[in-house]
Amino acid sequence: MQRSAFVMSITPFDHNGALDEPAFRQHLRRLRDAGVGVYIGSRASGEGFSLTCDELDRMLAIAIEELKGKVNVRAMGVEARHAGEMIDFLKLTSRHALDAVHVFGPEMGHAAKPSVAELEQYFSSVIETTAQPVVLSSYHTLGFNLPVALLERLLKRFPNLIGFFYGGSDIRYLSEIIERFASRIEVHCAGPYNALTTLSLGGHGCMGHEGNLAPTMITELIRAFESGDPDRLHKAYALLLAVYRIHHKYGGPVRAMKPLLNALGLPGGTVRLPRMAINDAELAEVLEATLKLNIPELPRARV
């Protein structure tokens, strides 16, 4: 089994709100040198909903230049209201030699939940349009889990379906997914809180935004698990969760992450509306809490 970790990369913007290409390249090189896989253009860390098609296209081209052949590079994308939106996303990503693309489930609006038949029609009509390796997911924020039986049917129909990740707290669901599919496709958890559970049950690893700050911290968790050293594993996981708690307090991956990276002299950039960065007082708290963790790979603060 090849265990792995992925980071949902931030998207650095300059003070005029444009994509900061030099900063983006610098950030991707930090991730590459740490050996983590990278998802580009995610809805949260990557501020994917604010990206234009031209911006995403350019970002993917840069990511291929910086990462391809060195670490796994993938496109994340955002939730779609209908299959046509996701199909357009796959057409765009097909221009680039990505290692995989993520196909989100549908977000139907006003908390509406799709039926199994609607989900099957949606995923079938989307996946059949591409030969790219595809990763599916199930996020609790959409209000439903991708049915296990449906995932089984999709796997039988589409040989380019190579992975699945779960962002939720239903351990029964996660354990069934791993038990039934981890020998056939890769299974990761989204977010650090189920990382050890996923690995212990036979899954392949974890993904999240924390590695934007300290990517080696993420790879250390995988190495610590594989080493069989409980003390090393405890230390690695405790550090990851400490970083997670600091940023969760401010409601998401970029509000505190980007200002913190800037304060540390690392490429972060500005936050695009409607999201807003934390204020100076909050940044001081985040910076102090982060420095107390003594993360070896971080430079000293520039404040």
Side-chain angles (χ1 to χ4, degrees):
M1 175 192 298
Q2 183 66 42
R3 298 183 181 92
S4 57
F6 285 85
V7 173
M8 293 179 284
S9 175
I10 61 165
T11 304
F13 303 116
D14 63 24
H15 289 291
N16 295 316
L19 175 65
D20 188 334
E21 293 194 13
F24 187 46
R25 289 183 184 276
Q26 185 182 352
H27 182 67
L28 292 179
R29 290 167 188 166
R30 286 189 71 227
L31 303 183
R32 177 195 67 198
D33 293 346
V36 294
V38 182
Y39 275 97
I40 303 296
S42 68
R43 58 175 181 164
S45 307
E47 297 172 86
F49 284 107
S50 75
L51 298 173
T52 67
C53 290
D54 287 344
E55 286 174 328
L56 179 58
D57 190 56
R58 180 58 183 154
M59 289 167 59
L60 293 175
I62 292 171
I64 292 297
E65 292 174 8
E66 297 291 345
L67 304 177
K68 182 68 176 180
K70 303 176 180 70
V71 296
N72 202 294
V73 54
R74 302 177 174 185
M76 172 67 81
V78 299
E79 293 92 336
R81 286 297 177 92
H82 57 82
E85 290 182 349
M86 190 56 63
I87 291 170
D88 287 343
F89 169 73
L90 292 178
K91 288 179 180 177
L92 187 155
T93 59
S94 68
R95 303 171 190 168
H96 307 278
L98 295 160
D99 293 304
V101 293
H102 170 236
V103 171
F104 257 116
E107 203 291 301
M108 304 185 76
H110 295 284
K113 308 297 188 295
S115 68
V116 175
E118 288 169 336
L119 284 172
E120 186 153 16
Q121 172 61 30
Y122 168 86
F123 283 113
S124 297
S125 62
V126 169
I127 300 172
E128 68 186 10
T129 67
T130 187
Q132 301 172 90
V134 167
V135 176
L136 300 184
S137 66
S138 187
Y139 272 101
H140 72 280
T141 50
L142 287 177
F144 63 90
N145 283 333
L146 180 65
V148 175
L150 174 55
L151 181 55
E152 179 72 64
R153 292 196 295 274
L154 293 172
L155 278 170
K156 290 179 179 178
R157 287 187 57 192
F158 299 108
N160 59 324
L161 180 50
I162 62 140
F164 177 87
F165 60 85
Y166 175 58
S169 57
D170 188 341
I171 302 302
R172 291 171 299 180
Y173 177 80
L174 175 61
S175 64
E176 184 175 4
I177 289 290
I178 293 173
E179 180 180 340
R180 292 185 60 169
F181 304 120
S183 63
R184 299 153 61 183
I185 60 173
E186 62 180 47
V187 179
H188 290 79
C189 64
Y193 39 88
N194 279 327
L196 289 192
T197 301
T198 300
L199 289 165
S200 297
L201 290 173
H204 295 79
C206 61
M207 55 189 296
H209 78 275
E210 296 78 14
N212 285 294
L213 174 67
T216 301
M217 174 182 66
I218 310 299
T219 55
E220 169 60 14
L221 177 68
I222 301 298
R223 296 190 187 105
F225 181 85
E226 292 178 329
S227 74
D229 182 338
D231 291 335
R232 180 182 177 187
L233 181 59
H234 175 268
K235 182 178 180 181
Y237 193 45
L239 182 60
L240 176 58
L241 288 181
V243 172
Y244 169 74
R245 290 196 305 272
I246 291 170
H247 292 268
H248 182 73
K249 178 180 178 181
Y250 296 97
V254 296
R255 294 181 180 94
M257 181 65 74
K258 283 188 168 184
L260 175 60
L261 290 171
N262 294 332
L264 292 168
L266 297 169
T270 60
V271 179
R272 271 187 178 173
L273 294 172
R275 290 185 176 91
M276 298 175 65
I278 58 175
N279 61 40
D280 290 344
E282 291 168 332
L283 174 57
E285 292 179 2
V286 169
L287 184 58
E288 180 181 9
T290 301
L291 293 177
K292 284 182 178 178
L293 297 177
N294 294 314
I295 302 174
E297 64 194 285
L298 294 184
R300 294 184 62 85
R302 296 177 60 188
V303 295

